Amino acid sequence: MDFCKEYNYLIDENHIFKEIDYDTLIHLLDGFDTGLVMIGGPWCKNCQAVIKEVNEIGKREGLDVIYHYDPKFINVFKEEDDLRNCSTLEIKLKYYALVEKIGFKSTELVTDTLIPKIHVPFFIAIRNGNCVGYYTAELIKDSSGFHKEGELEDRTIEFVLALQNLISKIKIDK
């Protein structure tokens, strides 16, 4: 993916995003790896809104890479699908495996399941193969900063602090 072409607000050609697929994401959790993962895609207005700042915060905090996993894919019927919709048994099992590995809890469930629904952008902090934190940033951006849709309260500081907190949890002690 060409991140700068897909994400309208990302103008840094030297961004630190690296696209990964589902298998790589699961390997990060099973393989005792460490890193920050952003789940989402350019099709999401909330992901579009935060992408530039995520890149800037990651660089400022010393990250070399932020893994980017897009849960949308083309299914066997050549149709666009989303892992989070649990449309088939195979997809439901994959999604459930991800939710279980990160220990995600939510009262909102995927339709016709008992599996918690992940909203994007969703950030996962992985240290040595363990999820040490996660954060959902369902925010939009305007001239006054970040806020939830339909609200006026500025959430910029909350967003920055939450991301910095996740990054601090994955930094290797020196």
Side-chain angles (χ1 to χ4, degrees), residues 18-23 25 37-41 67-73 83 98:
K18 178 182 179 185
E19 186 175 19
I20 61 171
D21 60 14
Y22 175 83
D23 292 333
L25 175 56
V37 178
M38 176 181 169
I39 297 178
Y67 299 104
H68 180 280
Y69 170 66
D70 188 341
K72 290 201 174 189
F73 62 97
L83 181 77
L98 174 61

Side-chain angles (χ1 to χ4, degrees), residues 88-99:
T88 68
L89 179 58
E90 178 185 6
I91 294 168
K92 189 181 296 184
L93 291 172
K94 282 183 167 186
Y95 180 71
Y96 181 72
L98 174 61
V99 168

Side-chain angles (χ1 to χ4, degrees), residues 96-162:
Y96 181 72
L98 174 61
V99 168
E100 282 297 302
K101 285 182 186 295
I102 63 175
F104 180 68
K105 305 286 185 222
S106 173
T107 56
E108 184 179 356
L109 304 175
V110 177
T111 305
D112 298 328
T113 74
L114 295 175
I115 306 171
K117 176 132 179 129
I118 292 175
H119 291 278
V120 295
F122 186 77
F123 298 93
I124 307 168
I126 301 170
R127 182 168 178 158
N128 299 325
N130 294 307
C131 174
V132 292
Y134 51 79
Y135 174 66
T136 301
E138 290 184 89
L139 303 170
I140 58 175
K141 184 178 180 182
D142 61 20
S143 59
S144 65
F146 290 112
H147 56 89
K148 292 191 179 227
E149 193 164 13
E151 293 182 7
L152 298 176
E153 181 182 356
D154 187 357
R155 307 262 182 163
T156 305
I157 293 173
E158 173 189 321
F159 169 71
V160 171
L161 291 176

